[in-house]
Amino acid sequence: MASLDTGALELGALDAISRLDSPMQRLDPRAKLLATTAFLVTVVSWGRYEIVGLLPLAAFPLFLCAAGRVPLGFVARKLLIAAPFVLVLGAFNPIFDTAPREIAAGIAIPGGWISYLSIVLRFALTVAAAIALVAVTGMNPVCSAAERLGAPRIFVAQLALLYRYLFVLAAQTQRMQRAAALRAPGRRRPSIALFGSLVGHLLLRTLDRAQRIHLAMRCRGFQGQMPLLRPMRFGLADAAFVACWVAFVAAVRFFDLPALLGRLALGSWG
Amino acid sequence: MHMADALISPFVGGAGWAASLGLVGYSARKIKIAADDASVPLMGVGAAFVFAAQMLNFAIPGTGSSGHLGGGLMLAALLGPHAAFLAMASILTVQALLFADGGLLALGCNVVNLGFFPCFIAYPLLFRPIAGSSPNRARLSAASMIAAIVGLQLGALAVVLETKLSGVTALPFGAFALLMQPIHLAIGAVEGLATAAVLLFVWQARPGILHAGDTGAFSKKLVAALLVAALVVSASAGWIASSRPDGLEWAIAKVTGEADLVAQAPDAGSSLAGVVGAALTLLLAGLVGLALRRRLAAKG
């Protein structure tokens, strides 16, 4: 995981985007969640050597970003941070899978390179879609949507709390880290004993904080559910959004759209 | 060791989701019966604590490198297995949504790998028996170390199995296992060291805090049943995966009556059309995006 201090700032940026007002942000979170799920299942359902079939699917994250005013550079940065695991694991494909595959008449390259490219493409598509979903929806509405779709209430409530206190505890940890560094100049990292005491203190403070939070929540009438600022209403636009994207990903999956388009462009229809 | 969407098949992703949804439901029910709603803020803030604690690195003795806390076992020792499992599930959800660690489809697998094994296997079957009802320094350290290592080994093995069953990478099972298990032996040892350090501190500062509730997450009968179920599922999944390369592809073929939807070796005309079409598709998507952006910008 990327260190949270840069991560926390980026989380703030995500929140800011989700509070913008555009048609994408106004859609019901459930609609966006359903469409994203259909998209993800379609992406991973392709065979391991698929590349061309995956390309039209880029329309979904691109559309979410464009219509929801999510800066593409922001998504790209997140992609880069998350990339290493998949890049390393996928890199074994060219090593183990050397059987040549024909990509065009007379041109064949080892199958491993094709499947590696396919993995990288899948990675970019799925991660970009997830980031775009949260960016145009916001974390708390995603949680409530999950609850409306059947996730246990206690789980959703504590997911929302986790998100809320992530920032608070991250700031507290940074202060502790700075204090420790100032008292131990010339030492890059704390020893394991000091680490135990640092994290232990953080934990004790966290537990006390949780107690205060609980009391405060009870005082404000908390009964196990987080209120929403934007009420959820699944309207015609939401239904149309889901229907269009499900139809699109199904069309991409069952028909070879790029080939059709290419044949159309080259004038060799039929 | 987060599984990524890019590496799984719909079949494996769906199985992971089914397993983790069942476990989340089971844990949520258990907590509702066991405690009042004070546990909700405790779990939520406890999960945020794990995130924050992961920012703190420590120097690993004898090496030049550094390590940090993973959190599953630590949470189980503090909150009990059910609450800890829900907290881990929410941590992994936030990581999938906000940090792009793993992905939405792989989330089910990740919850099983990083939540189920430490909370429901390593904690009740190893940590609690070794730590005992009146722990001391040595017992707490040994319990943290052993439970963390075993939990991570099981999680790593699950990653290997899920990757293999998905069949997206070409890594042979043996080679992948040989790569993953030793690495996670080291990671498990670091995790055990960190967990022991924090638990020892907490145990000395506030002894009553360590979870003293129910001794085990599951009855022995349930554990046995789960193990049998896991064996049956993995055996049948292996069989399905080997005879049908891709569950969904197979289903699609059945529905449409076509043997294979993916063109194996395209002829020259259609592959050129494919390349041109692919380029056009990207261009089109880019143009639509640009147009949308312009319109929104014009609107302000």
Side-chain angles (χ1 to χ4, degrees), chain A residues 58-76:
Chain A
F60 180 70
L62 283 175
F63 176 81
L64 281 189
C65 289
R69 295 195 224 177
V70 185
L72 286 180
F74 173 78
V75 178

Side-chain angles (χ1 to χ4, degrees), chain A residues 214-225, chain B residues 37:
Chain A
H214 179 231
L215 287 176
M217 282 163 65
R218 288 294 292 270
C219 289
R220 289 161 178 79
F222 174 71
Q223 285 176 332
Q225 206 174 10
Chain B
D37 52 359

Side-chain angles (χ1 to χ4, degrees), chain B residues 151-216:
Chain B
L152 268 163
Q153 284 294 306
L154 289 172
L157 188 63
V159 170
V160 176
L161 277 175
E162 287 153 6
T163 310
K164 189 68 209 157
L165 285 176
S166 295
V168 179
T169 65
L171 265 170
F173 179 82
F176 193 18
L178 274 178
L179 189 77
M180 285 290 276
Q181 303 307 127
I183 293 177
H184 283 87
L185 197 63
I187 297 178
V190 170
E191 168 81 2
L193 208 60
T195 307
V198 178
L199 288 183
L200 279 174
F201 174 87
V202 172
W203 172 68
Q204 279 170 339
R206 250 189 249 178
I209 255 176
L210 293 190
H211 185 70
D214 50 341
T215 46

Side-chain angles (χ1 to χ4, degrees), chain B residues 31-73:
Chain B
I31 288 169
K32 230 180 247 168
I33 297 165
D36 66 343
D37 52 359
S39 59
V40 174
L42 188 59
M43 283 153 56
V45 185
F49 157 76
V50 167
F51 262 104
Q54 285 179 346
M55 292 164 59
L56 287 168
N57 282 312
F58 62 89
I60 299 171
T63 67
S65 51
S66 69
H68 68 74
L69 194 68
L73 186 64

Side-chain angles (χ1 to χ4, degrees), chain B residues 45-279:
Chain B
V45 185
F49 157 76
V50 167
F51 262 104
Q54 285 179 346
M55 292 164 59
L56 287 168
N57 282 312
F58 62 89
I60 299 171
T63 67
S65 51
S66 69
H68 68 74
L69 194 68
L73 186 64
M74 161 108 224
L75 282 174
L78 290 168
L79 307 173
H82 304 106
F85 178 76
L86 285 186
M88 278 312 281
S90 67
I91 288 173
L92 292 163
T93 307
V94 168
Q95 284 179 339
L97 285 174
L98 302 170
F99 294 89
D101 267 347
L104 283 179
L105 277 187
L107 180 58
C109 292
N110 283 324
V111 169
V112 171
N113 302 346
L114 295 163
F116 172 75
F117 290 117
C119 298
F120 287 134
I121 300 288
Y123 174 73
L125 299 182
L126 291 168
F127 184 91
R128 281 205 67 97
I130 298 173
S133 48
S134 55
N136 56 34
R137 271 193 94 81
R139 291 189 127 205
L140 261 184
S141 311
S144 307
M145 205 54 153
I146 293 169
I149 289 178
V150 172
L152 268 163
Q153 284 294 306
L154 289 172
L157 188 63
V159 170
V160 176
L161 277 175
E162 287 153 6
T163 310
K164 189 68 209 157
L165 285 176
S166 295
V168 179
T169 65
L171 265 170
F173 179 82
F176 193 18
L178 274 178
L179 189 77
M180 285 290 276
Q181 303 307 127
I183 293 177
H184 283 87
L185 197 63
I187 297 178
V190 170
E191 168 81 2
L193 208 60
T195 307
V198 178
L199 288 183
L200 279 174
F201 174 87
V202 172
W203 172 68
Q204 279 170 339
R206 250 189 249 178
I209 255 176
L210 293 190
H211 185 70
D214 50 341
T215 46
F218 296 129
S219 67
K220 289 215 167 66
K221 235 190 244 166
L222 194 55
V223 171
L226 271 174
L227 280 178
V228 171
L231 279 178
V232 171
V233 168
S234 51
S236 56
W239 176 77
I240 293 171
S242 57
S243 58
R244 319 237 180 268
D246 183 312
L248 196 80
E249 203 135 281
W250 170 73
I252 291 170
K254 274 221 128 175
V255 172
T256 57
E258 276 175 63
D260 196 355
L261 282 166
V262 185
Q264 284 301 328
D267 61 279
S270 76
S271 69
L272 178 61
V275 173
V276 173

Side-chain angles (χ1 to χ4, degrees), chain A residues 34-264:
Chain A
L34 287 175
T36 308
T37 309
F39 165 81
L40 291 175
V41 171
T42 311
V43 170
V44 304
S45 74
W46 287 104
R48 82 154 71 141
Y49 297 109
E50 189 60 45
I51 290 172
V52 173
L54 287 168
L55 289 178
L57 291 171
F60 180 70
L62 283 175
F63 176 81
L64 281 189
C65 289
R69 295 195 224 177
V70 185
L72 286 180
F74 173 78
V75 178
R77 267 202 309 284
K78 291 257 176 184
L79 276 177
L80 276 183
I81 293 172
F85 179 71
V86 163
L87 288 185
V88 168
L89 263 190
F92 286 98
N93 276 18
I95 300 172
F96 286 104
D97 181 7
T98 50
R101 286 178 73 88
E102 202 173 348
I103 48 164
I107 307 168
I109 57 173
W113 285 107
I114 303 178
S115 57
Y116 187 30
L117 192 58
S118 177
I119 286 176
V120 172
L121 201 56
R122 283 158 206 257
F123 162 77
L125 287 174
T126 52
V127 172
I131 295 168
L133 168 73
V134 181
V136 299
T137 311
M139 187 62 191
N140 285 334
V142 169
C143 294
S144 328
E147 184 179 355
R148 290 289 191 86
L149 292 170
R153 176 179 281 196
I154 188 168
F155 175 68
V156 174
Q158 74 106 20
L159 191 57
L161 270 165
L162 159 62
Y163 184 61
R164 172 67 187 78
Y165 283 97
L166 200 56
F167 300 96
V168 179
L169 290 186
Q172 183 161 30
T173 308
Q174 271 173 339
R175 288 197 297 275
M176 289 179 80
Q177 216 167 10
R178 196 176 308 132
L182 286 171
R183 285 163 180 77
R187 180 189 256 178
R188 274 181 56 221
R189 291 193 191 92
S191 67
I192 180 77
L194 180 58
F195 170 82
S197 132
L198 273 178
V199 177
H201 273 296
L202 181 66
L203 178 66
L204 294 182
R205 289 181 194 176
T206 302
L207 295 178
D208 293 341
R209 190 191 289 273
Q211 202 125 43
R212 291 197 303 276
I213 292 168
H214 179 231
L215 287 176
M217 282 163 65
R218 288 294 292 270
C219 289
R220 289 161 178 79
F222 174 71
Q223 285 176 332
Q225 206 174 10
M226 294 288 177
L228 265 187
L229 283 179
R230 233 179 232 155
M232 263 196 263
R233 218 171 52 83
F234 200 92
L236 213 58
D238 306 302
F241 177 80
V242 176
C244 283
W245 281 111
V246 169
F248 174 74
V249 295
V252 170
R253 188 66 183 87
F254 289 102
F255 306 102
D256 192 355
L257 288 188
L260 288 180
L261 199 61
R263 245 179 277 154
L264 202 62

